Amino acid sequence: MLDNQSLIKRMTELLKAGRAFSGAKVYYREDWGVYYFDLAGKQFGLMSKAANEKAVLTIKGLPEENISLRQTYSDIVPGYYANKQHWNSILLCSEQLSDIEITELLQASYQLVFQKLTKKVQLEINAYL
């Protein structure tokens, strides 16, 4: 299990990574008590506010890949308060996955949401590149 400093660093880096994706916004949603990862009004992730042993990142994934990840890593579980088929939650204090692997899963979630946007919105987002 990560120590508190490493967990804070991981969570800070995930917020930074989410904001770096083209067209993405990451902000704290007071009503839900989580950090909300947003792309054109669509959610691609949720992250706990508090850096503790229960902190999670909930991200979208393909159903068959979600099952595989859950079978491979005990610290990846069906998404909390989300469609269990399409969303996974990653226990952020886990050492089973590296920061890079978690960031790649966040990016894959972003891509899944991006692909569902209209072509017009995709072009508008890509204009920022």
Side-chain angles (χ1 to χ4, degrees):
M1 180 157 41
L2 290 180
D3 62 63
N4 199 265
Q5 282 298 95
S6 298
L7 178 58
I8 290 168
K9 181 178 181 261
R10 173 176 278 179
M11 292 174 74
T12 301
E13 290 300 314
L14 288 167
L15 292 171
K16 184 178 171 184
R19 290 180 178 118
F21 300 143
S22 185
K25 297 179 207 163
V26 179
Y27 52 91
Y28 184 70
R29 274 195 69 158
E30 197 79 36
D31 55 338
W32 289 7
V34 297
Y35 286 102
Y36 189 88
F37 293 72
D38 177 288
L39 177 63
K42 306 286 184 193
Q43 170 186 314
F44 70 94
L46 297 172
M47 188 171 75
S48 303
K49 178 184 179 185
N52 59 40
E53 68 279 350
K54 294 182 181 179
V56 294
L57 173 68
T58 300
I59 52 175
K60 191 170 192 143
L62 295 173
E64 60 277 5
E65 290 177 14
N66 286 345
I67 291 168
S68 177
L69 286 166
R70 292 175 203 155
Q71 291 171 343
T72 305
Y73 303 103
S74 61
D75 289 335
I76 297 180
V77 296
Y80 292 126
Y81 301 108
N83 180 313
K84 310 294 187 226
Q85 184 178 6
H86 296 280
W87 294 85
N88 276 338
S89 290
I90 302 168
L91 189 61
L92 290 173
C93 65
S94 173
E95 293 188 68
Q96 293 179 350
L97 292 112
S98 69
D99 292 349
I100 293 170
E101 289 170 316
I102 296 172
T103 301
E104 287 172 350
L105 290 170
L106 179 63
Q107 184 170 20
S109 180
Y110 166 88
Q111 287 297 328
L112 284 172
V113 172
F114 180 84
Q115 291 168 2
K116 295 286 185 180
L117 299 173
T118 65
K119 293 295 178 198
K120 179 183 177 191
V121 174
Q122 288 179 3
L123 289 170
E124 290 170 0
I125 290 169
N126 284 333
Y128 292 110
L129 295 177

